Structure formats: structure tokens, C-alpha cells
């Protein structure tokens, strides 16, 4: 199965999780690759419309995993805008994960995954599972391991 891990990451926390996931998927025999979403301007204050210097095409993938940081208790605006511009997700398996700094609940992870879900639904896709990794959580490693093992189980 051809799997695309489509990542926006400004300071590489999200990207580092994506890399571990990619390695695990490849070890399981999957054809997995990471594509980075690169905006022309990654300043969190930038207003839409956002232009992209790299805007990954999801059409080659049977399964897509969207990954993004939480910004200001919400999905990072760059990912929000990317998902508005992405092509149809109909018939694809779709997963998501977000990373954030704060360990406590209500710091944006649930909302960000809900925003990804709505955006994916708007492109005729369905999110099978979504995950949150809290960078300052003492259980961060367990959250990452769980995310990887749940996705491996699903493929
Ligand atoms: C502009 C901005 C806003 C942020 N807002 C939140 C927030 O509301 N809640 C939170 O837990 N972390 C917040 N963070 C922290 C990031 O979500 C966290 O460091 C994330 O892992 C960064 O991912 P990246 O390294 O892939 O860019 C914010 C970071 C930035 C730069």
C-alpha cells in the first residue's frame, strides 16, 4: 500500500514523529514516504490566503496521514489552509496526528484533530483514527509508541 505522511512542521517535533512512523511502516513492508507542506511564509501570524512552495499532491496515495502542530489552541493555520486546497480524499484511508507543547487537556489537541476531521470530510474523506502527542508530557514516548503501533495495526 502506498502511504503518504503529509507533514507541516515548523520546529521539527511533528516531523520527528513522522520519521519514526515512516521507518516503522517501511519495516512492515509498506511503501511509505513523507512529504512536507512548505508555506512561503511560516510566520504563525500570517493571514490567508497562504501560498505554498511545496504543496504535496495526495492523489498517488491509497492511505494518507496528516500531521501538524497545534497553534493557539487550534490547528496550525498553514495546515488548515493546505487542507482547504487539497484534492479529493474519496476512497482513501486517512489518519491524523497533532503535536503540541502542553500536557494538559483543553490545550488545542482535540480541537485541532476535529478541524482536520471536518476538513477531510469536506474533501469526501473519513478519518479512521487521530492522535495527539504532547511534547512536555512525561508520557510523550508512550504517546508516540501508541500512535505508531495503532497505525501499524491498521495497515
Ligand atoms: C504560534 C504557536 C502557537 C502555539 N500554540 C500552542 C497551543 O495552543 N497549545 C499547545 O499545547 N502548544 C502550542 N504551541 C506549541 C507547539 O504546538 C508544539 O511545540 C509543537 O510540537 C510544534 O510542532 P513542530 O515542531 O512540528 O512545529 C504553539 C507553538 C507556536 C509556534
Amino acid at each position: 500500500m502506498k502511504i503518504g505522511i503529509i507533514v507541516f512542521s515548523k520546529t521539527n517535533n511533528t516531523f520527528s514523529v513522522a520519521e519514526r512512523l515512516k521507518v516503522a511502516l517501511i519495516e512492515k513492508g509498506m511503501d511509505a514516504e513523507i512529504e512536507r507542506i512548505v508555506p512561503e511564509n511560516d510566520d504563525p501570524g500570517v493571514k490567508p490566503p497562504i501560498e505554498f512552495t511545496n504543496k504535496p499532491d495526495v492523489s498517488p496515495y491509497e492511505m494518507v496521514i496528516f500531521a501538524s502542530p497545534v497553534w493557539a489552541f487550534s490547528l496550525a493555520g498553514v495546515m488548515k489552509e493546505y487542507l482547504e486546497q487539497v484534492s479529493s480524499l474519496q476512497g482513501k484511508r486517512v489518519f491524523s496526528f497533532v503535536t503540541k507543547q502542553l500536557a494538559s487537556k483543553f490545550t488545542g489537541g482535540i480541537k485541532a484533530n476535529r478541524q482536520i476531521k471536518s476538513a477531510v470530510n469536506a474533501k469526501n474523506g473519513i478519518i479512521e483514527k487521530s492522535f495527539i502527542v504532547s511534547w512536555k508530557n512525561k508520557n510523550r514516548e508512550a504517546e508516540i509508541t501508541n500512535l505508531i503501533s495503532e497505525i501499524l495495526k491498521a495497515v
Side-chain angles (χ1 to χ4, degrees):
M1 179 160 46
K2 197 164 166 59
I3 302 173
I5 308 171
I6 311 294
V7 184
F8 171 61
S9 183
K10 186 173 163 74
T11 54
N12 283 333
N13 292 349
T14 314
F15 184 73
S16 69
V17 178
E19 280 207 312
R20 289 178 58 179
L21 176 60
K22 177 184 137 177
V23 168
L25 286 165
I26 288 172
E27 273 172 7
K28 203 177 167 180
M30 299 291 140
D31 177 8
E33 54 188 85
I34 295 178
E35 292 206 57
R36 283 187 91 130
I37 299 167
V38 185
E40 272 180 10
N41 180 351
D42 69 357
D43 178 346
V46 75
K47 298 266 181 294
I50 293 171
E51 301 293 330
F52 295 94
T53 48
N54 194 44
K55 190 163 75 171
D57 174 16
V58 293
S59 62
Y61 302 112
E62 296 163 77
M63 177 168 153
V64 181
I65 302 158
F66 293 114
S68 170
V70 170
W71 280 357
F73 305 104
S74 301
L75 182 62
V78 171
M79 181 54 108
K80 194 162 177 277
E81 180 83 1
Y82 168 79
L83 288 171
E84 278 173 23
Q85 297 185 21
V86 81
S87 59
S88 172
L89 294 164
Q90 188 151 26
K92 297 186 190 297
R93 302 192 64 187
V94 190
F95 295 76
S96 73
F97 69 88
V98 294
T99 72
K100 65 193 181 89
Q101 199 61 240
L102 306 169
S104 62
K105 263 188 163 185
F106 313 117
T107 47
I110 294 168
K111 181 177 176 191
N113 270 329
R114 211 187 299 128
Q115 287 174 285
I116 296 177
K117 184 171 185 261
S118 307
V120 166
N121 289 347
K123 299 292 177 173
N124 296 318
I126 298 166
I127 293 272
E128 285 184 43
K129 278 192 177 163
S130 56
F131 306 90
I132 299 170
V133 176
S134 300
W135 224 253
K136 282 212 172 131
N137 190 343
K138 58 177 175 10
N139 296 324
R140 178 176 90 199
E141 185 53 31
E143 288 178 337
I144 296 171
T145 312
N146 175 63
L147 171 167
I148 292 172
S149 75
E150 286 291 314
I151 293 177
L152 286 181
K153 255 193 273 169
V155 296

